[in-house]
Amino acid sequence: MLAQRTLKSLTRAVGVGLHSGQRVELTLRPALPDSGIVFRRVDLPQPVDIVISPEAVTDTRLASTISSGSAKVHTVEHLMSACAGLGIDNLVIDITAEEVPILDGSASSFVFLLQSAGIELQGAPKRFVRILKPVEVREGEGANVKWARLSPYEGYKLSFEIDFDHPAVDSTGQRVEFDMGSGAYSRDIARARTFGFTKDVEMMRANGLALGGGLDNAIVMDDYKVLNSEGLRYNDEFVKHKILDAMGDLYLLGKPLLGAYSAFRSGHAMNNKLLRELLAHPDAYEIATFDDEKNAPKGFATLARAW
Ligand SMILES: [Zn+2]
């Protein structure tokens, strides 16, 4: 059986929120089979649980925010991406403030944290959402067009194209494809950092945003170049970060996907719209499990043994 996964032991991280600049502590705890991924706001007078789902996403400006009532957690996508990359199905995430810490601006610190705690295989089959028919969302016309699509594929792969008119981005790859079957998420995707432009950062700060952002947790560019003295981690780091974000946004479905995601200039809002579009078409997907892990798509079974 290809089994569900949680952590072997609990693990902690401390950092600051990218937008709030607030200090925040995370405690990641093992969770029961079929309980999914749950954020728990432990700083509130009564702790509030927020179970991840496409409907729990209530704000997609700059980052993906999930809520339950008035309790919120901002910027969940990089931690969710690490969970997707390592195939974590069940987890309780205690959090002491309204925003997940940004750490180094990528998913690699979360990958390290999850791997250090160890991955436990559980006594229940891993449940995938298998795409049976293409589902697409699209906005704008001509030069403003953007779209995102899920299509049938017995595995999980993502392709993304960005179209940034900026000298520092133009000179790098603007399109990338990543297949989970490569087993290379941690090496090829997880280290890609979030990025921003100094002129936007000034405007965001004036509006009380990006207060925790800086050169140690983002790629920052002026009108011409990358300002980080260490340069880029990958020559196509920008578009790889968009793949990282998309993996995190799509993991809010609550189950891993079997399918191919492709997107042009998509973002948090459109990724969430795509999940809602999928759920609105029950004939476009089915739940899949693998009694024999040998029948699971390349990557999933091999990774199960290696972990
Ligand atoms: Zn991001």
Side-chain angles (χ1 to χ4, degrees):
M1 174 181 78
L2 186 62
Q4 291 179 26
R5 295 170 192 139
T6 189
L7 295 186
K8 271 193 165 56
S9 58
L10 68 75
T11 180
R12 289 201 169 89
V14 181
V16 295
L18 173 64
H19 293 298
S20 61
Q22 244 183 336
R23 184 184 185 278
V24 52
E25 287 177 34
L26 283 184
T27 305
L28 311 182
R29 301 175 184 279
L32 293 170
D34 290 317
S35 60
I37 296 182
V38 180
F39 283 83
R40 180 169 293 159
R41 282 287 304 276
V42 294
D43 56 314
L44 300 175
Q46 283 289 355
V48 176
D49 283 1
I50 311 173
V51 182
I52 63 161
S53 75
E55 295 82 11
V57 176
T58 49
D59 193 345
T60 49
R61 291 167 296 173
L62 304 173
S64 287
T65 297
I66 55 171
S67 343
S68 172
S70 59
K72 291 184 170 70
V73 179
H74 301 292
T75 322
V76 298
E77 60 271 14
H78 301 166
L79 174 53
M80 287 303 99
S81 185
C83 289
L86 297 183
I88 307 288
D89 298 283
N90 305 301
L91 190 65
V92 174
I93 303 160
D94 290 353
I95 184 165
T96 62
E98 218 171 59
E99 190 177 11
V100 174
I102 188 67
L103 304 178
D104 75 337
S106 77
S108 66
S109 308
F110 295 120
V111 166
F112 177 76
L113 205 64
L114 294 165
Q115 281 180 329
S116 315
I119 312 279
E120 173 103 333
L121 296 178
Q122 301 181 283
K126 193 173 177 72
R127 291 179 220 287
F128 294 86
V129 170
R130 177 189 276 137
I131 304 299
L132 300 174
K133 289 180 184 175
V135 173
E136 183 181 285
V137 288
R138 182 176 281 267
E139 276 172 22
E141 295 289 328
N144 292 318
V145 73
K146 46 183 176 174
W147 52 262
R149 184 187 306 140
L150 289 169
S151 339
Y153 175 68
E154 195 61 7
Y156 186 36
K157 67 178 176 185
L158 304 99
S159 67
F160 206 107
E161 187 170 350
I162 53 175
D163 182 27
F164 277 107
D165 184 20
H166 185 283
V169 185
D170 282 346
S171 59
T172 74
Q174 302 238 28
R175 185 177 186 282
V176 78
E177 184 168 298
F178 171 69
D179 195 316
M180 275 291 276
S182 68
Y185 169 80
S186 306
R187 189 191 70 200
D188 290 349
I189 301 295
R191 296 175 63 244
R193 290 162 296 172
T194 193
F195 55 94
F197 303 95
T198 41
K199 56 172 188 274
D200 297 338
V201 173
E202 283 152 22
M203 202 171 67
M204 285 193 277
R205 291 223 169 121
N207 289 302
L209 293 166
L211 298 176
L215 290 167
D216 54 353
N217 56 29
I219 306 168
V220 184
M221 286 166 278
D222 65 12
D223 286 340
Y224 308 101
K225 60 183 186 304
V226 170
L227 300 179
N228 306 60
S229 56
E230 76 281 14
L232 298 179
R233 291 178 175 180
Y234 307 107
N235 60 15
D236 50 1
E237 189 169 358
F238 306 101
V239 66
K240 280 189 165 166
H241 188 79
K242 300 297 281 185
I243 294 259
L244 184 160
D245 275 345
M247 285 181 71
D249 288 341
L250 296 175
Y251 212 56
L252 294 170
L253 183 56
K255 291 185 181 64
L257 281 163
L258 286 180
Y261 164 88
S262 45
F264 179 64
R265 299 176 60 228
S266 184
H268 304 303
M270 187 159 254
N271 291 336
N272 185 248
K273 232 172 123 181
L274 182 63
L275 291 184
R276 290 173 188 251
E277 183 72 9
L278 175 67
L279 294 183
H281 292 88
D283 58 333
Y285 66 93
E286 65 179 7
I287 304 298
T289 59
F290 295 93
D291 292 341
D292 185 343
E293 68 180 49
K294 286 195 208 68
N295 298 330
K298 192 170 159 272
F300 291 101
T302 27
L303 288 172
R305 279 194 292 276
W307 296 340

